[in-house]
Structure formats: C-alpha cells, structure tokens
Amino acid sequence: MKLCRRASELAGFQGTVGFVPTMGALHEGHLSLVKKCRETCDTAVVSIFVNPTQFNDPKDLANYPRTEEADLALLDAAGVDFVFAPSVEEVYPTPDTRVFDFGGLDRVMEGEHRPGHFNGVGQVVSRLFEIVKPDRAFFGEKDFQQLAIIRYMVAQLGLPIEIVGCPIVRDADGLARSSRNTLLSPEHRAAAPHIYAVLSDAATSLRGRVSVAEAKRIIAERIDANPLLETEYVEIASASTLQPVSEWGAARGDLRCFVAVHAGDIRLIDNVAI
Ligand code: PAF
C-alpha cells in the first residue's frame, strides 16, 4: 500500500480504478465500502481527509476524531493499493469559492439543518474526483442525502464515474456505524440504539395506519422518550427526489424515514425504508 500526501504521487494505477473517499476514523461501514471496491476494481484508492469546508460548526471540525495510524493499518489489511491523505493546502491551493446547484436536493433535511454542508461536500468530492480520476466511487447509504447529491453532481458535471451506494452497516444493537459514535459518552452510547429500534418498528407499523404528519410526530415522541436523546428532525421523503411527502401514496411508495438526533453533544443521523 502506498501512502500519498501529494496529488502528484498518485501514479501507476492499473485497470479500473475504485475510490472510497473518507474523513478517516474508519469503522466497519467504511471497510464494507473498501471491500466492495477491492472486489470490483483493479486498483483500490482510499482518501483520508477531514474536509473543513463541509463543517458548518467549527467545534464539530475541531472535535472530529482523527486516527490516521490505526486507519492506515486497517486499509493495509484490507488490501488497499493507494491511500491519499493530503493537507488542506494540497486539496485547496486557493480557497474554493464554487457554489453548487444541487437542484433542491440540498434544501431539505441535512441541507436545511447544516447550512453550507453539502456545498462543502460538493467541493471536496469534485476536487478528489479530479485528482484520483476513478472509474467507480463508493458511498454509504447512512449519508443517503449525500449519496443522492453526489449522483446528481456527477450527472450534472458529466463525469464518467459510476457511483455505487452501499447499505448501512450497523452494530449488533442496531446503531448505524459512524465515526462520531466513538465520541459518545458510555451513557449516550447505551441510549443510541433506541433510534434504530424506533425507526425499524415505525418502518413496519405506521405506514397507512396514521397520517404521515402523525407518523413523524410519533417517531419523534418515541425517540425523545429516552431522556438522553433529542430529535432534531424526523422526515418522511421520497428516496429518489428526497422531497418530503405528506401522503403515503406519494412517490410511488418509494419512501424513507430520515432522522437527526442529538445524543448529548453528538449529532447522529439514520434512515430506513418505510
Ligand atoms: O461521508 C464522508 O465521510 C464525507 O462527507 C466525504 C464523502 C468523505 C467528503 O468529505
């Protein structure tokens, strides 16, 4: 495995190039993307870069876990060929002032609650695509909205890159794997699986029985019944357009429930098909 700090060191790729962009603090979710990449591409490239432009909260950026040594050991064991772990200056030699139009996909849910977040994701992912030039790139469905926005961006920019979405990886107790989970206090870590317990029950029990508005209210109420959790939003939206719906019959049944929940200082997101 070759560790590259500079874009110019990324040379000697062979065959189809697969790419997994990450912000490090790797866990089983990332490793499932790497595995898919390794299985389906000749050259596997992973980036580790905590992108400052996608953090709308400077405290969140400062606290984001950084575990490079452990990450490199995991990637080496997973058979990765190249790791790109650049400095901020390498990715952004000059400040990136581009403003993306994501066709409204970024105006709901995470986009509404984290202003500027998806523009920063667009900046870094397009920049990394420019540097790595992959044939295929792999993203997790935990960040379902991010995945939809990247698909949109790739189509809009006419990039010849196949975007591969991979299922959410969960701990045995149901908590969706996230780098932020390591920041949870033991009490909040114990409380956090309640989010998926509520979502998975709602996925089968609420649709068609109560209105969409009532379902969202019930889901928030059930999550907040745990005193260590506080719902920021619950949305039921089309999985393809991400637009919130008010009727179950909308979007040809292709619906997902999306939540953001505070567990103490840590903000967790999750989603399920409903
Ligand atoms: O999902 C992430 O970890 C990040 O948003 C990404 C895609 C690596 C861009 O910084």
Side-chain angles (χ1 to χ4, degrees):
M1 186 177 82
K2 182 173 173 193
L3 170 62
C4 308
R5 302 282 178 195
R6 312 295 300 254
S8 57
E9 294 170 68
L10 286 165
F13 294 172
Q14 291 184 349
T16 50
V17 177
F19 178 43
V20 182
T22 82
M23 298 205 298
L26 301 182
H27 51 69
E28 287 299 325
H30 295 112
L31 295 179
S32 74
L33 307 181
V34 171
K35 183 161 181 275
K36 188 87 177 243
C37 174
R38 184 62 293 167
E39 282 166 3
T40 56
C41 302
D42 300 312
T43 298
V45 185
V46 176
S47 63
I48 300 176
F49 179 64
V50 181
N51 171 40
T53 73
Q54 72 186 74
F55 285 82
N56 56 315
D57 174 358
K59 243 175 48 197
D60 190 23
L61 173 61
N63 291 338
Y64 201 82
R66 288 162 172 86
T67 57
E68 191 183 87
E69 209 177 308
D71 293 346
L72 293 175
L74 287 171
L75 295 176
D76 197 17
V80 167
D81 301 301
F82 292 86
V83 175
F84 181 47
S87 63
V88 172
E89 294 70 33
E90 184 68 9
V91 176
Y92 301 116
T94 56
D96 194 336
T97 53
R98 289 174 299 160
V99 177
F100 289 83
D101 174 2
F102 295 124
L105 289 173
D106 57 330
R107 269 181 237 129
V108 294
M109 302 185 290
E110 287 304 281
E112 188 183 346
H113 290 263
R114 299 184 64 192
H117 167 65
F118 286 122
N119 200 64
V121 170
Q123 289 173 340
V124 75
V125 172
S126 60
R127 182 77 186 109
L128 291 169
F129 282 175
E130 206 173 277
I131 294 170
V132 176
K133 298 183 184 59
D135 298 297
R136 231 169 260 146
F138 299 80
F139 294 86
E141 288 186 345
K142 187 177 81 68
D143 296 298
F144 199 90
Q145 191 172 5
Q146 167 173 279
L147 173 61
I149 283 174
I150 287 164
R151 283 192 203 286
Y152 185 91
M153 182 184 79
V154 162
Q156 197 186 37
L157 300 177
L159 302 176
I161 303 172
E162 182 193 346
I163 302 300
V164 183
C166 301
I168 297 176
V169 175
R170 298 182 181 280
D171 278 336
D173 59 13
L175 179 63
R177 296 300 302 255
S178 162
S179 303
R180 289 190 168 85
N181 292 354
T182 58
L183 302 174
L184 292 165
S185 70
E187 296 74 26
H188 289 105
R189 175 63 190 80
H194 182 63
I195 301 168
Y196 181 62
V198 170
L199 285 183
S200 52
D201 177 62
T204 54
S205 69
L206 294 180
R207 185 167 181 160
R209 301 228 172 99
V210 295
S211 68
V212 169
E214 182 64 359
K216 292 197 289 189
R217 195 194 59 72
I218 292 171
I219 292 167
E221 187 180 84
R222 287 182 184 169
I223 292 173
D224 293 345
N226 186 312
L228 294 177
L229 302 175
E230 192 185 346
T231 302
E232 183 173 308
Y233 67 78
V234 175
E235 198 51 271
I236 294 176
S238 154
S240 42
T241 67
L242 299 184
Q243 296 313 301
V245 300
S246 51
E247 310 268 337
W248 292 115
R252 288 207 227 108
D254 168 30
L255 298 179
R256 284 188 95 81
C257 179
F258 298 85
V259 297
V261 178
H262 293 270
D265 291 337
I266 307 307
R267 187 175 179 278
L268 301 171
I269 58 172
D270 203 347
N271 67 85
V272 293
I274 195 161

